[in-house]
Amino acid sequence: MDLTITPSAAKFIQRMVRFGGAGESAGFRLVVSPGGCSGLSSEFSVEAEPLAGDATVTIDGMKLFLPAESRMLLQGVTMDFKDTPLQSGLVFVDPKATGCGTCGTSAPPPAEVGIPISSIPIKSA
């Protein structure tokens, strides 16, 4: 799979898995779908094992659980993590993405899609 994960995104993923409470065999489940002006929307969680239909993709020792559609959409994408005063979360840089140009908020290629940390569901015991 041609997915690049930057060191800052790798650190974020590793911390999520380590502190996610799903055990040693846990992985980072990432669901990416078409949508939004930038071209992608996504959700992620830490899971003990892949869900039905997920493939386990290991990149630099990190275990990712990816549904089929997500694997296709992530082909050639760079996943980064940004923590700035204006943005905090995963960012996907897709050289294939183009903005729609109708709403005036689309990013020019390569488009970035930010996923705010506040959107992470927290499981309580």
Side-chain angles (χ1 to χ4, degrees):
M1 168 157 211
D2 182 23
L3 170 64
T4 302
I5 300 176
T6 66
S8 59
K11 184 177 179 180
F12 174 75
I13 291 169
Q14 291 164 344
R15 285 185 174 185
M16 290 292 296
V17 172
R18 179 184 298 147
F19 299 113
E24 289 188 31
S25 64
F28 189 80
R29 185 167 197 268
L30 181 61
V31 179
V32 180
S33 56
C37 289
S38 297
L40 297 175
S41 63
S42 68
E43 296 178 15
F44 56 88
S45 61
V46 175
E47 301 293 338
E49 57 188 44
L51 301 181
D54 288 354
T56 301
V57 176
T58 304
I59 300 175
D60 296 330
M62 292 174 290
K63 201 181 319 181
L64 304 175
F65 301 148
L66 303 172
E69 183 178 30
S70 297
R71 291 190 307 272
M72 291 184 336
L73 292 171
L74 288 170
Q75 231 11 64
V77 169
T78 297
M79 184 170 29
D80 195 7
F81 179 82
K82 295 205 179 180
D83 190 14
T84 68
L86 299 175
Q87 177 182 27
S88 185
L90 288 175
V91 175
F92 300 92
V93 180
D94 184 357
K96 304 175 301 285
T98 58
C100 65
T102 58
C103 67
T105 61
S106 299
E112 292 185 353
V113 180
I115 307 300
I117 288 181
S118 60
S119 69
I120 301 170
I122 297 176
K123 297 179 182 177
S124 57

